[in-house]
Amino acid sequence: MEAKFADAEKLFDRLKSAFVAQDYETSITLLSQLKVKLTEFSGLPPLYRQTPTQVQELVLARSILEYAVILSVKTEDQESFERHFLQLKPYYTDTRQLISRSSEEYPILGLNLLRLLVQNRIAEFHTELELLPPEALDDVCLKHAIELEQSFMEGAYNRVLNARQAFPHETYLYFMDLLAKTVRDEIAGCSEKAFDFLTVADAKKILMFSSDQELLKYAAESALVPDTKELLIQCQRSRILRCFLPDEHPDWEIQKGILYFQKVKELAPCKEIPSLQMINQTLGYARELERIV
């Protein structure tokens, strides 16, 4: 068993070297080999058998899975992140009496909360939050995720977008960018319904862009095919008076520094609310309730 443990340690060292070198393809291959080796250790979950190397096995397995979670972020694979986090979680909850707390525990728990927020899984976000020990809530990484959720629920989107500039851990940047995109999409959708048009300057301010180019790119970023790229270059270079923004917001139109949403409203069908019918039904329900009472 000690020989198998030594082999696993050597393979893990190779994984760490490949990860530092940003050779993620090799890292994924080595990770797959390590997960196979972990099945040979009976001291790990779910068996938890007492062996001479159980503590070392638990620490090694936890470290490997922590690297797996971070590797999933680096490769932008959310399914892999969730799978590896669920495998890692027992090492944070069920082994507290066997091994000391990992320095990566709170950053990874905060990272998972951020993932749930990005995926709009708010119920699961609060479930995970309830399972955390009270002392964990003082950690800067967890506090960051909690404050983001509060800002998101309050509709304080400016705080959410500004939070990208002060993320507590470098692995948070991927999910922060996704959250910023979600927030901007929400603001853009509300703007389409609330205004007939906005000046480009106001649109930049509302969406928190620093340049006209960023606004144009945002409107077309869902599929920047060569024709779209050329359109953006022309708009930027010649300050063209009129250009249509395809793909993400196909009905937005810019004319002479004004961003028009009117075409969006024209495409939306107008439905007349049968107000009199609704009032009559409500009064009828009230009369029937009064008779019953």
Side-chain angles (χ1 to χ4, degrees):
M1 184 60 69
E2 291 183 1
K4 291 181 179 180
F5 181 77
D7 289 342
E9 279 191 317
K10 290 179 182 178
L11 196 59
F12 184 42
D13 288 337
R14 290 176 56 193
L15 168 62
K16 289 188 285 187
S17 298
F19 183 85
V20 170
Q22 299 184 359
D23 185 356
Y24 299 139
E25 184 175 349
T26 301
S27 298
I28 292 172
T29 301
L30 293 171
L31 177 62
S32 298
Q33 297 174 15
L34 278 167
K35 287 194 289 185
V36 172
K37 284 191 173 293
L38 290 180
T39 62
E40 301 174 359
F41 299 138
S42 58
L44 303 181
L47 298 178
Y48 292 110
R49 288 178 182 164
Q50 293 184 357
T51 65
T53 58
Q54 184 187 21
V55 172
Q56 293 93 323
E57 290 171 12
L58 288 169
V59 171
L60 177 63
R62 183 181 65 185
S63 298
I64 290 170
L65 290 172
E66 286 176 341
Y67 265 85
V69 168
I70 302 303
L71 183 61
S72 300
V73 175
K74 295 294 185 180
T75 55
E76 301 183 359
D77 188 342
Q78 294 189 45
E79 290 184 4
S80 174
F81 180 100
E82 182 169 10
R83 183 170 62 254
H84 287 122
F85 177 79
L86 291 175
Q87 293 172 359
L88 174 62
K89 194 174 178 182
Y91 293 88
Y92 290 159
T93 57
D94 301 340
T95 64
R96 296 187 186 279
Q97 306 302 320
L98 299 172
I99 54 177
S100 58
R101 186 177 65 82
S102 167
S103 60
E104 295 298 321
E105 179 175 343
Y106 290 163
I108 288 178
L109 289 175
L111 195 61
N112 181 59
L113 289 178
L114 191 57
R115 174 186 67 90
L116 294 174
L117 182 59
V118 167
Q119 296 176 351
N120 201 29
R121 294 160 64 175
I122 305 302
E124 292 177 59
F125 179 99
H126 286 282
T127 299
E128 291 293 328
L129 201 58
E130 290 295 326
L131 296 174
L132 294 175
E135 62 272 14
L137 302 180
D138 294 328
D139 181 78
V140 62
C141 293
L142 291 167
K143 286 174 67 175
H144 181 77
I146 294 169
E147 290 171 358
L148 274 176
E149 190 271 342
Q150 291 173 345
S151 298
F152 195 75
M153 292 298 101
E154 292 170 5
Y157 295 147
N158 60 321
R159 294 208 302 264
V160 177
L161 293 177
N162 289 332
R164 188 192 178 282
Q165 309 303 322
F167 52 91
H169 199 275
E170 57 95 12
T171 55
Y172 282 44
L173 185 58
Y174 167 60
F175 287 120
M176 290 298 298
D177 285 340
L178 291 179
L179 188 59
K181 174 69 166 58
T182 300
V183 166
R184 283 198 171 99
D185 288 346
E186 186 70 20
I187 295 172
C190 292
S191 298
E192 288 177 339
K193 303 299 185 295
F195 304 106
D196 292 332
F197 61 86
L198 285 171
T199 65
V200 169
D202 288 338
K204 284 192 302 180
K205 184 176 180 180
I206 289 174
L207 294 170
M208 293 191 175
F209 287 124
S210 59
S211 66
D212 294 357
Q213 289 83 353
E214 287 180 343
L215 178 62
L216 288 167
K217 183 179 178 181
Y218 167 74
E221 66 186 354
S222 62
L224 280 176
V225 295
D227 292 343
T228 305
K229 290 182 179 178
E230 184 61 30
L231 170 64
L232 295 181
I233 291 171
Q234 292 175 4
C235 289
Q236 294 163 12
R237 286 180 179 174
S238 62
R239 300 185 179 277
I240 194 167
L241 297 181
R242 177 186 177 92
C243 67
F244 293 92
L245 304 174
D247 302 316
E248 183 81 14
H249 302 288
D251 301 299
W252 288 14
E253 182 182 346
I254 291 180
Q255 294 187 47
K256 299 182 179 180
I258 305 294
L259 177 61
Y260 290 95
F261 304 119
Q262 189 61 42
K263 293 187 70 178
V264 177
K265 296 186 177 182
E266 291 173 358
L267 291 174
C270 284
K271 294 183 178 180
E272 185 176 343
I273 299 175
S275 54
L276 290 177
Q277 181 181 351
M278 292 177 65
I279 291 171
N280 287 331
Q281 287 179 350
T282 303
L283 291 174
Y285 295 148
R287 284 194 297 270
E288 293 299 324
L289 282 172
E290 188 176 357
R291 289 175 184 171
I292 294 171
V293 174

